[in-house]
Amino acid sequence: MTGGGAESPNPVVGGTESFMAASKAESPAKADKLMEEILDPENLKEALKRVKANKGSAGIDRMTVDLLPAYLQKHWPEIREQLLRGTYKPQPVLRVEIPKPDGGGVRKLGIPVVVDRFLQQAVMQVLQRIWDPTFSEHSYGFRPNRSARQAVAKAQEYLAEGYTWVVDFDLEKFFDRVNHDKLMGLVARRITAKRVLKLIRAFLNAGVMENGLVSAIDEGTPQGGPLSALLSNIMLDELDRELERRGHRFVRYADDSNICVRSQRAGEQVMESITGFITAKLKLKVNSAKSAVARPWERKFLGFSFTMKEPHRRSIAPKSLVRFKDRVRDITRRTRGASMQRIVEDLNVYLRGWYGYFGICQTPSVLVDFDSWIRRKLRCVLWKQWKRGRTRYKELCKRGVNAALAAKTAGNPHGPWRLSHSPGVCVALPNAYFDGLGLFRLALGH
């Protein structure tokens, strides 16, 4: 079956040259310019590159990203013709649930088949070039050359200017509740290409497979497809414009928005009026249980918070700190029995990524404390691996601990965590030992 790629193909010998060559064929005269841009060989080449780089799980057809080039080489002419005729039908997305980082339930993801991910990526790249220059300067999520870190820095600027109250509103199940008619109406304001509009609507209405059963959906943009992020910005751009029209200072990253005001009373008025706008105009719902008018240091924004005292510095939100420790515990627990070098290598992958995001915090003592805590965890790992008192005594002596202290430490009945901070263990496993293994230091950034 072609179109949505319902069957996993046998590998086809060769690269993507013939697939790209097929895309160069002259389009029928009736084909609109926008679809031609989407089917442009360079745009398709970039889309294929992005999908392969992002990897991701297989959809309902179980086709992996590695098989995509060969599949396109064989089936692209027919898929392309379906796109030009406006008859392409995407496959249902695979519905999966993953726990939310804060433990507050699950987040539903929709995984399209890889062929549809490729086509969504191609559409997204063209539409993003059209739309992104027109989006609000207050919007930071899923946009080129914009990031969550920039959004946090902008929120900090407002705080420094005296806007010390925040209207923090949460859109309830935003990606699951986007109204299709409302969204397509916003898209149609800027796009008149009927084939492209029909294709976007087809992606929205593709349905979901959950527990082996396929069901239709009439609302939502399932998280997991390349188009979802852009469509969310298109939907919420109307909110951005309304906030700008009212002269508010605000920051939005996807469906996470903060409006900064000078007083609690002003914040409560804004919360009431904006909730009404979101409900009436966007046909979305504000989650009152997760929304609040509060001080910035009482809330979290994209994993960060701010210190109470001036100057208000960027700090890491408490829940982010908890998640960090849980992840380190998981890594050291899973790798118990592995060599310390291997454990450090696994840790470094996570630590570098975490620091790449949270390294902009302005509370360095937290990073120093984390470094110390991580080393204690690793000392615990080794202490458990040594197991028997005789082995522990030999290891301590071998690492420079005098015999008396080694014997006292090896025979100590206390648990690994307490002993990880004892003089004998610290002499045997000093900071320099972990530096020698290449353990990433958060406080130093390397």
Side-chain angles (χ1 to χ4, degrees):
M1 183 181 295
T2 56
E7 295 180 358
S8 297
N10 294 321
V12 179
V13 178
T16 59
E17 289 80 3
S18 59
F19 150 58
M20 292 303 173
S23 299
K24 295 181 181 179
E26 185 175 348
S27 303
K30 63 180 180 180
D32 55 73
K33 182 179 178 182
L34 193 59
M35 183 60 81
E36 289 180 342
E37 285 186 48
I38 292 169
L39 299 178
D40 179 80
E42 290 303 314
N43 186 55
L44 295 175
K45 185 184 295 184
E46 178 63 21
L48 183 60
K49 177 181 176 183
R50 293 289 180 88
V51 170
K52 289 172 67 177
N54 291 336
K55 298 182 180 179
S57 303
I60 64 171
D61 62 355
R62 299 186 179 179
M63 185 196 302
T64 64
V65 173
D66 293 335
L67 292 174
L68 180 58
Y71 184 83
L72 291 174
Q73 184 183 8
K74 182 177 181 180
H75 296 287
W76 178 247
E78 183 176 353
I79 296 173
R80 182 177 184 277
E81 186 61 27
Q82 291 174 1
L83 291 167
L84 291 173
R85 291 199 309 262
T87 59
Y88 182 83
K89 292 185 178 180
Q91 297 293 304
V93 301
L94 179 64
R95 172 66 55 80
V96 296
E97 296 181 348
I98 61 172
K100 290 185 177 181
D102 58 4
V106 296
R107 176 176 287 113
K108 293 184 178 182
L109 297 183
I111 304 176
V113 298
V114 292
V115 174
D116 288 342
R117 288 214 295 273
F118 162 69
L119 295 177
Q120 284 193 35
Q121 180 69 31
V123 173
M124 186 276 291
Q125 289 169 179
V126 171
L127 296 188
Q128 191 170 61
R129 287 196 291 269
I130 296 172
W131 249 296
D132 193 74
T134 71
F135 284 148
S136 168
E137 64 176 290
H138 303 280
S139 166
Y140 291 85
F142 308 119
R143 297 182 59 190
N145 303 315
R146 288 185 160 240
S147 68
R149 292 168 59 147
Q150 292 173 329
V152 173
K154 175 56 69 172
Q156 186 180 22
E157 286 182 24
Y158 293 145
L159 182 55
E161 291 171 4
Y163 294 84
T164 57
W165 287 85
V166 62
V167 181
D168 182 4
F169 58 91
D170 180 86
L171 296 178
E172 186 172 298
K173 297 181 179 179
F174 169 72
F175 285 94
D176 297 329
R177 297 207 169 150
V178 169
N179 182 282
H180 287 180
D181 292 335
K182 174 66 177 178
L183 175 58
M184 289 306 301
L186 294 173
V187 174
R189 289 182 186 178
R190 299 283 299 275
I191 292 179
T192 58
K194 293 183 179 180
R195 289 176 183 81
V196 177
L197 290 173
K198 186 175 181 180
L199 180 60
I200 295 174
R201 173 72 82 164
F203 281 129
L204 291 174
N205 294 339
V208 299
M209 175 180 281
E210 194 168 13
N211 299 321
L213 299 176
V214 175
S215 57
I217 54 174
D218 56 9
E219 63 178 4
T221 60
Q223 288 177 273
L227 257 180
S228 294
L230 177 63
L231 293 177
S232 70
N233 275 334
I234 292 172
M235 186 74 177
L236 293 176
D237 188 58
E238 193 167 6
L239 172 61
D240 295 341
R241 298 308 174 190
E242 178 65 17
L243 294 176
E244 289 178 344
R245 187 184 68 79
R246 298 185 185 191
H248 290 308
R249 287 164 172 76
F250 70 97
V251 182
R252 182 177 67 79
Y253 188 96
D255 59 333
D256 200 344
S257 302
N258 275 2
I259 305 171
C260 302
V261 295
R262 289 189 181 274
S263 69
Q264 182 177 9
R265 181 180 178 183
E268 290 170 350
Q269 292 174 342
V270 170
M271 176 68 83
E272 182 179 358
S273 62
I274 291 301
T275 297
F277 174 84
I278 290 172
T279 302
K281 297 294 184 179
L282 300 185
K283 302 186 185 305
L284 295 169
K285 184 178 180 181
V286 174
N287 187 334
S288 57
K290 294 184 177 180
S291 303
V293 176
R295 296 290 196 177
W297 45 88
E298 297 172 343
R299 307 292 291 179
K300 66 180 180 68
F301 181 55
L302 302 175
F304 287 89
S305 188
F306 300 97
T307 58
M308 184 185 303
K309 295 181 179 179
E310 296 184 11
H312 304 289
R313 296 175 296 166
R314 292 186 297 271
S315 62
I316 303 172
K319 287 186 178 180
S320 299
L321 300 178
V322 171
R323 288 198 296 270
F324 173 87
K325 286 195 169 185
D326 286 345
R327 181 63 177 137
V328 171
R329 288 190 186 101
D330 181 57
I331 293 172
T332 54
R333 184 182 302 116
R334 285 188 298 104
T335 53
R336 186 182 301 169
S339 70
M340 182 54 62
Q341 184 67 58
R342 174 60 187 274
I343 296 173
V344 167
E345 289 172 359
D346 291 346
L347 264 179
N348 281 350
V349 172
Y350 174 67
L351 295 178
R352 288 193 178 99
W354 188 89
Y355 180 83
Y357 184 79
F358 286 104
I360 63 168
C361 76
Q362 296 170 316
T363 51
S365 62
V366 172
L367 303 182
V368 172
D369 290 343
F370 269 169
D371 281 336
S372 177
W373 180 80
I374 290 168
R375 288 190 294 266
R376 285 193 68 177
K377 290 294 296 180
L378 294 177
R379 291 184 183 111
C380 284
V381 171
L382 279 173
W383 191 252
K384 292 175 184 177
Q385 288 182 356
W386 293 342
K387 294 182 180 178
R388 300 172 62 185
R390 183 177 298 178
T391 303
R392 289 170 175 173
Y393 175 78
K394 288 182 179 179
E395 289 290 343
L396 292 172
C397 290
K398 185 172 66 176
R399 296 165 187 270
V401 181
N402 66 66
L405 181 57
K408 180 180 178 181
T409 306
N412 195 308
H414 292 299
W417 180 251
R418 181 165 176 175
L419 285 172
S420 67
H421 203 53
S422 67
V425 173
C426 289
V427 168
L429 301 171
N431 295 353
Y433 168 74
F434 298 106
D435 290 340
L437 292 175
L439 178 65
F440 187 88
R441 281 211 191 190
L442 297 170
L444 300 179
H446 60 77

